[in-house]
């Protein structure tokens, strides 16, 4: 699935009659028609821009299927983790994804505790937001998950687990995502460089802004 100004092109306006300010059809006003709705964002594949999925899987295998995906907010860690899980199925493992909401920061959610205790041979724990756990909980999770066949976490900083991928973003990556969600013409009418800088490289926040502009 790991850098302000107007969102319009240099002409300062929409590029074609019937299109809105970000270059996608003006008729896309209902949430279900918005090309940047959450369901479509969640379905995006990881953009291999410096991080190659095959190499991540190879590193995990060498490290006994223990590792961390590290990078700033909105650089594709969650998407990459999901694709890692899909690939681990091919290695005979069963993904057990756990997601940490920011509201849960500073505590160990009950469903995390139950899943970690239950994980055993053949299970792959995919812990998204591992670094939001308090320190004692991070230690407990790694200790209690020793019976699992794989433990892969996302983190905004280095952790005890070895880093197997460092995610980053770029304006070019943002443009690819906009093009995938709309079309090449619409992507060309968005100032992805300015939008990327405005959101400090957070691709998800940049795409959410495009949602709000529909």
């Amino acid at each position: 699935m790991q850098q302000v100004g107007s969102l319009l092109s240099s002409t300062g306006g929409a590029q074609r009659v019937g299109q809105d300010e970000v270059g996608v059809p003006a008729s896309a006003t209902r949430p279900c028609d918005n090309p940047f709705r959450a369901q479509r964002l969640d379905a995006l594949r990881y953009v291999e821009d410096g991080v190659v999925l095959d190499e991540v899987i190879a590193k995990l295998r060498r490290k006994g299927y223990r590792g961390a995906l590290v990078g700033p907010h909105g650089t594709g860690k969650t998407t990459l983790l999901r694709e890692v899980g899909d690939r681990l199925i091919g290695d005979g493992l069963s993904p057990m994804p756990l997601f940490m909401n920011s509201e849960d920061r500073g505590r160990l959610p009950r469903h995390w505790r139950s899943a970690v205790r239950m994980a055993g041979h053949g299970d792959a724990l995919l812990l998204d937001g591992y670094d939001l756990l308090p320190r004692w909980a991070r230690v407990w999770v790694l200790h209690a998950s020793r019976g699992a066949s794989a433990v892969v976490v996302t983190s905004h900083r280095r952790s005890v687990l070895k880093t197997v991928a460092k995610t980053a973003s770029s304006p070019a990556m943002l443009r690819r995502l906009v093009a995938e969600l709309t079309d090449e013409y619409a992507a060309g009418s968005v100032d992805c460089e300015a939008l990327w800088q405005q959101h400090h490289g957070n691709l998800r926040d940049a795409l959410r802004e495009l949602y709000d502009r529909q």
Side-chain angles (χ1 to χ4, degrees):
M1 124 114 112
Q2 242 185 18
Q3 113 133 320
V4 200
S6 173
L7 296 180
L8 306 180
S9 63
S10 58
T11 58
Q15 297 298 297
R16 186 179 298 172
V17 174
Q19 293 195 335
D20 66 12
E21 61 180 334
V22 296
V24 298
S27 59
T29 55
R30 297 180 303 169
C32 62
D33 294 329
N34 195 309
F36 303 103
R37 60 189 181 273
Q39 296 93 327
R40 300 201 71 203
L41 300 190
D42 291 340
L44 288 169
R45 302 296 302 272
Y46 183 75
V47 177
E48 293 188 332
D49 186 6
V51 176
V52 180
L53 183 58
D54 285 343
E55 295 177 359
V56 176
I57 298 300
K59 288 180 181 179
L60 280 172
R61 290 171 180 156
R62 291 196 300 269
K63 298 180 184 303
Y65 292 102
R66 257 72 175 168
L69 313 177
V70 180
H73 289 282
T75 55
K77 296 185 300 300
T78 296
T79 304
L80 179 58
L81 181 66
R82 183 173 65 244
E83 298 208 17
V84 165
D86 291 343
R87 291 289 295 272
L88 292 183
I89 294 175
D91 285 5
L93 302 179
S94 299
M96 294 179 63
L98 295 173
F99 178 76
M100 172 71 73
N101 291 306
S102 58
E103 295 79 13
D104 292 325
R105 180 192 296 269
R107 67 186 185 89
L108 178 61
R110 181 174 300 177
H111 69 283
W112 274 57
R113 189 188 301 268
S114 299
V116 170
R117 283 175 170 164
M118 182 174 60
H121 180 72
D123 293 322
L125 283 168
L126 308 176
L127 309 180
D128 191 10
Y130 168 79
D131 61 329
L132 298 180
L133 295 169
R135 184 178 183 280
W136 68 265
R138 295 197 300 271
V139 172
W140 180 88
V141 164
L142 295 185
H143 176 78
S145 63
R146 289 177 300 172
S149 292
V151 179
V152 187
V153 309
T154 66
S155 178
H156 298 107
R157 56 185 181 276
R158 293 179 60 185
S159 71
V160 174
L161 292 172
K162 294 293 185 180
T163 299
V164 295
K166 291 183 178 180
T167 61
S169 70
S170 67
M173 185 183 294
L174 177 58
R175 187 187 185 283
R176 284 183 59 181
L177 295 176
V178 174
E180 183 175 342
L181 292 166
T182 55
D183 55 44
E184 285 294 336
Y185 176 84
S189 68
V190 177
D191 188 344
C192 290
E193 174 78 36
L195 187 60
W196 181 83
Q197 291 183 4
Q198 177 185 349
H199 292 283
H200 309 289
N202 188 321
L203 300 178
R204 180 166 287 271
D205 282 355
L207 294 172
R208 283 172 176 162
E209 175 167 329
L210 293 180
Y211 174 91
D212 292 338
R213 287 173 176 260
Q214 300 311 297

